Amino acid sequence: MAARDYGQYGGVARAVELVGERWALLIVRDLLVGPRRYGELAAGLPRIPSNILAARLKELQAGGIIRRAPRSRIVIYELTPYGRELEPVVLALGAWGLASLDEPRDEQVITADSMTMDLRSAFRPQIALDLPATAYAARVGGAELLVRVDGPTLDVRRGDGPADLSFAGRGIHRLIKGELDAQRAIATGEIELLEGSGELLERFGRTFRFAA
Amino acid sequence: MAARDYGQYGGVARAVELVGERWALLIVRDLLVGPRRYGELAAGLPRIPSNILAARLKELQAGGIIRRAPRSRIVIYELTPYGRELEPVVLALGAWGLASLDEPRDEQVITADSMTMDLRSAFRPQIALDLPATAYAARVGGAELLVRVDGPTLDVRRGDGPADLSFAGRGIHRLIKGELDAQRAIATGEIELLEGSGELLERFGRTFRFAA
DNA sequence: CCGCATCCCATGTGATACTG
DNA sequence: CAGTATCACATGGGATGCGG
């Protein structure tokens, strides 16, 4: 049950003993978006076997990374303060991984929490500072996100709502990476504009951009 | 042979598919210190089975993270530019892991490369800026490191050499974490002063400090 | 030697089924 | 809903072998 150890004494070895097991960092990623129930985690990690999810949750608790939310009638998992300190790690890892993403395969899902963290990884506060506050509604796969940018602050939440620009499509990551121009994305149908102007999609592309 | 995938399209999932397998990040950690031969990697990862090391090296090559150094008669592994972009990730992960390190168990080894990255994780350039240039020689376990701090720059290399302070002992991490005061470390023998003053050990402790 | 490849067994993982 | 139980299978660990 205890994570297998590497026989080394050092920061990186200790870290991978705590969160290096398969699925562990994806659980942490989703919990960085917010506290989640067991079933929500399972839904956000469609291919994780339930016994593995249960085992990881125990290990992460034993490691002091997550805990069951106290004084809550239902079971809710949340990060401890120490677990929350993984945020820069996960954001950096996500940014690094974004760089080598190619086009999504049909079998690959894009979940709300995953997309949320990708947007956080790619968000450029300095750029957003000079742009007017904007609300975007994005639909990708089954996930609906409401993305509010206001100066240097970013707020992403699930669900729908009023937005300046509403769009859908699985080409969002490639737009963020600069591989896909906003105009072309609309022209080829890789991104479908539901409401709002193409200019706002360009603004989105400037606000969220993977910095090589 | 291809890393098992998670069925998700996103930055973090992609990243853990590339470097999430057991031992992979420790190999990257050591290669961040410098190019290494197969045998050097094996020596720096004492408990890795040779077949696993061979498998990981292939996977990391396939992922574009490492390569065999070109125009070299002997086999040398080094990071690609993309692999080198993992440095902030590994440093952040190392710093996070340092926070939950307790005392080293006897069976745990401290390797030169591991210690080097821990020092990089804990180095505080702003603090060092106001301190005189100093050379430290540290011996911990079997590893000998020559640590040169000059203003905001840090240089760590293996081996011995002239130093202002020379010390040994397995208590260095706890000194860095502030759990152990320099005076006490000397008094209890957790750190043995070979050459130089206790004041220099305090300077070391201020220069390398894990920032919670 | 160095850079792996093979073999065998223990352990971890994945799919499915099941329970309080 | 929140997990256990079970079992087939893939992967990891340790020892050993082997060609260049």
Side-chain angles (χ1 to χ4, degrees):
Chain A
M1 159 126 35
R4 276 178 303 167
D5 88 324
Y6 289 87
Q8 301 199 2
Y9 183 79
V12 179
R14 170 72 173 159
V16 294
E17 283 171 5
L18 287 172
V19 294
E21 300 285 309
R22 195 163 162 73
W23 294 106
L25 270 178
L26 297 184
I27 295 172
V28 171
R29 176 199 66 188
D30 287 4
L31 290 179
L32 278 168
V33 179
R36 293 282 180 268
R37 307 187 54 164
Y38 184 95
E40 294 177 306
L41 289 170
L45 276 5
R47 302 216 333 210
I48 196 175
S50 62
N51 57 342
I52 298 294
L53 176 55
R56 291 291 170 274
L57 290 173
K58 276 184 191 162
E59 292 160 12
L60 290 171
Q61 281 180 85
I65 296 147
I66 69 173
R67 67 179 168 212
R68 296 162 85 118
R71 56 179 162 287
S72 161
R73 271 186 6 86
I74 60 178
V75 180
I76 294 192
Y77 293 96
E78 63 183 13
L79 294 170
T80 63
Y82 185 51
R84 229 170 292 125
E85 287 173 28
L86 277 169
E87 176 158 359
V89 173
V90 174
L91 288 177
L93 203 59
W96 182 82
L98 276 178
S100 68
L101 271 184
D102 43 0
E103 288 156 64
R105 278 170 281 128
D106 289 348
E107 28 139 356
Q108 290 184 306
V109 299
I110 303 179
T111 67
D113 289 344
S114 161
M115 190 71 217
T116 298
M117 292 305 288
D118 284 347
L119 289 174
R120 286 195 194 167
S121 284
F123 182 57
R124 297 194 295 179
Q126 313 295 351
I127 304 292
L129 203 56
D130 297 327
L131 295 172
T134 315
Y136 305 91
R139 265 202 297 116
V140 46
E144 289 195 332
L145 293 179
L146 191 59
V147 181
R148 298 173 169 283
V149 177
D150 189 357
T153 72
L154 166 67
D155 176 61
V156 184
R157 53 190 61 199
R158 313 170 83 146
D160 213 339
D164 303 301
L165 171 69
S166 187
F167 62 98
R170 286 164 70 91
I172 299 181
H173 284 89
R174 299 185 49 230
L175 177 69
I176 288 173
K177 291 183 61 184
E179 289 175 10
L180 193 59
D181 173 70
Q183 303 296 358
R184 279 190 57 82
I186 298 169
T188 64
E190 293 198 68
I191 291 181
E192 185 188 356
L193 237 59
L194 303 174
E195 187 186 346
S197 68
E199 216 169 289
L200 281 174
L201 188 60
E202 282 186 20
R203 184 190 296 175
F204 181 87
R206 282 200 305 281
T207 307
F208 301 92
R209 174 67 56 100
F210 171 69
Chain B
M1 158 121 40
R4 276 177 304 165
D5 89 324
Y6 289 88
Q8 301 200 1
Y9 183 79
V12 180
R14 170 72 173 159
V16 295
E17 283 171 5
L18 286 173
V19 295
E21 300 286 308
R22 194 161 163 73
W23 294 105
L25 270 178
L26 297 185
I27 295 171
V28 170
R29 175 198 65 188
D30 288 3
L31 290 178
L32 278 168
V33 178
R36 292 284 181 266
R37 305 189 54 164
Y38 184 94
E40 294 177 305
L41 289 170
L45 276 5
R47 303 216 334 209
I48 195 174
S50 64
N51 58 342
I52 299 295
L53 176 55
R56 290 293 170 274
L57 290 173
K58 276 183 193 162
E59 293 160 12
L60 290 171
Q61 282 180 81
I65 295 148
I66 69 173
R67 67 178 167 213
R68 295 162 88 115
R71 56 181 160 287
S72 160
R73 278 192 4 89
I74 61 177
V75 180
I76 295 192
Y77 292 96
E78 63 183 15
L79 293 170
T80 63
Y82 185 51
R84 230 170 290 124
E85 287 174 28
L86 277 169
E87 177 158 358
V89 174
V90 174
L91 288 176
L93 203 58
W96 182 81
L98 276 179
S100 68
L101 271 184
D102 43 1
E103 287 156 65
R105 278 171 280 130
D106 290 348
E107 27 138 355
Q108 292 184 306
V109 300
I110 303 179
T111 68
D113 289 345
S114 160
M115 190 72 217
T116 299
M117 293 304 289
D118 283 347
L119 289 174
R120 285 195 194 167
S121 285
F123 182 57
R124 296 194 294 180
Q126 314 293 352
I127 304 291
L129 202 56
D130 297 327
L131 296 171
T134 315
Y136 307 91
R139 265 201 298 113
V140 48
E144 288 196 331
L145 293 179
L146 191 59
V147 182
R148 298 173 168 284
V149 177
D150 190 358
T153 72
L154 167 66
D155 177 61
V156 185
R157 53 190 61 200
R158 314 169 83 142
D160 213 339
D164 304 301
L165 172 69
S166 186
F167 62 98
R170 286 164 68 92
I172 301 181
H173 283 89
R174 298 184 48 230
L175 178 68
I176 288 174
K177 291 181 60 183
E179 289 176 7
L180 193 58
D181 175 68
Q183 303 295 358
R184 279 189 57 82
I186 298 168
T188 64
E190 293 199 68
I191 290 183
E192 185 188 355
L193 237 59
L194 303 175
E195 188 188 345
S197 67
E199 215 168 288
L200 282 175
L201 188 60
E202 283 186 19
R203 185 190 295 174
F204 181 88
R206 282 202 305 282
T207 308
F208 301 93
R209 175 65 59 99
F210 171 69

